[in-house]
Amino acid sequence: RVHLAAVGLLTLLSIVAATGIRVSAGVWNTLTVLKLLPLVGLAVIASLVKPHPAVAAATDWHAVHWGRAALTAVFVFQGFEIVPVVAGQARDPSRTIPIAVLGSLAISTALYLLLQRGAVAGVPHLATSQAPLVDMGDAYGGGGFGRIVSIGKRVSAMGICFGMVATTPRFLSALVPRTRFGRESPHGVPLAALATTWVLVTFLISLGSLGQLLALSSLSVVMQYLLVALALLKFGLRREHDLRPRDAWSAIPTILVALVLVSGAERGEWAVAAASIVLSCVIFFAVRRRLA
């Protein structure tokens, strides 16, 4: 039933995304505001109110999979990298895109620092909690506020899914621009790429849990960072695109951190990631050879 509901939600979000960026932006902004309200409220309350007394639960720190925890934590750092994906349809992108990227990073950093501080102080069993934000709401505001946070968490998940549905097809259309996948509708949406994304995500939902999909999303983002860092290192060492070796220094720590993070992936996630890379390479080189 969970998988069926997820597929239904995915279908609904895909239909909305197919209507174009104007409607999608309105839905996306609404979901963003709705999910931020309980999170901001929780961060403020945690900063002003002492948590309710609770019995601390012992945590076996040796049983914690730190690589997995780090990979899961990467999920909260996602989002800013998709802003340039839709930059071509933004008004005055040279001004608005830097504000959007830097602003999202600054606001999310401050918000997550406050939430992390409150969770550590108010949730004694944080390492084993299945719903840390809800437990945090219970600790600071009682069960009623915890239920509000739970609703906000569901809205947040919907907003994240919609962002993926609206932007992921554009990566596929950029991979093969002069094909049916790169062709956009009058509303500026690559419908063939959107339909392909729906099919692939529906298939992944049928294979595993939603938690595994979130981890796979984190893995894909880390691999994007890794590939960009490798490209920067290559261009810097070869002095291409007006880059010099000293311009590529930031690629080294990025590569090291990315390699540590991907160690938290499970075998099934690695299999899906490897299959996606192989499929992307096959499509790219096949189309490139055809258009040559």
Side-chain angles (χ1 to χ4, degrees):
R1 291 182 179 180
V2 174
H3 289 171
L4 184 60
V7 173
L9 176 61
L10 173 65
T11 303
L12 176 61
L13 296 179
S14 299
I15 293 174
V16 174
T19 60
I21 192 65
R22 179 172 297 181
V23 176
S24 298
V27 173
W28 206 344
N29 290 337
T30 301
L31 292 174
T32 300
V33 172
L34 291 177
K35 76 179 183 181
L36 281 179
L37 288 176
L39 291 179
V40 172
L42 184 57
V44 172
I45 292 176
S47 301
L48 301 176
V49 179
K50 291 184 178 181
H52 296 172
V55 178
T59 300
D60 182 8
W61 295 105
H62 297 287
V64 177
H65 191 332
W66 293 104
R68 185 68 175 180
L71 182 62
T72 303
V74 170
F75 189 78
V76 304
F77 302 132
Q78 299 183 39
F80 72 91
E81 77 282 351
I82 65 174
V83 175
V85 175
V86 292
Q89 295 180 316
R91 295 179 181 176
D92 193 10
S94 61
R95 182 182 65 86
T96 57
I97 296 303
I99 295 176
V101 173
L102 298 178
S104 62
L105 284 174
I107 293 173
S108 60
T109 298
L111 179 61
Y112 279 118
L113 284 175
L114 292 174
L115 291 174
Q116 290 281 2
R117 176 185 175 277
V120 171
V123 185
H125 56 285
L126 184 60
T128 56
S129 175
Q130 298 297 317
L133 287 177
V134 177
D135 291 340
M136 185 179 167
D138 292 338
Y140 287 95
F145 191 66
R147 285 190 289 273
I148 294 176
V149 174
S150 178
I151 295 174
K153 185 180 70 171
R154 291 182 174 86
V155 175
S156 177
M158 187 181 301
I160 292 170
C161 292
F162 183 69
M164 293 179 177
V165 169
T167 57
T168 301
R170 300 183 185 277
F171 288 99
L172 179 58
S173 64
L175 181 66
V176 284
R178 290 182 291 173
T179 66
R180 181 180 301 176
F181 293 102
R183 193 176 306 147
E184 296 184 349
S185 69
H187 299 290
V189 180
L191 294 179
L194 177 61
T196 304
T197 301
W198 180 89
V199 172
L200 292 176
V201 174
T202 301
F203 176 70
L204 292 176
I205 289 175
S206 66
L207 290 181
S209 66
L210 298 181
Q212 288 177 322
L213 286 179
L214 297 181
L216 184 61
S217 175
S218 297
L219 178 61
S220 66
V221 170
V222 172
M223 294 181 69
Q224 289 178 40
Y225 296 158
L226 178 60
L227 291 175
V228 171
L230 290 173
L232 175 61
L233 187 62
K234 171 188 173 183
F235 294 145
L237 294 178
R238 292 187 176 183
R239 301 178 181 271
E240 299 177 1
H241 301 286
D242 296 326
L243 294 173
R244 292 167 291 181
R246 68 180 184 182
D247 297 322
W249 68 269
S250 60
I252 297 176
T254 302
I255 292 172
L256 294 177
V257 172
L259 292 177
V260 172
L261 291 174
V262 297
S263 67
E266 297 178 351
R267 291 183 179 179
E269 294 158 1
W270 270 117
V272 174
S276 300
I277 293 174
V278 172
L279 180 60
S280 299
C281 291
V282 170
I283 294 175
F284 175 77
F285 287 109
V287 173
R288 185 178 181 181
R289 182 177 180 181
R290 178 182 176 184
L291 296 177

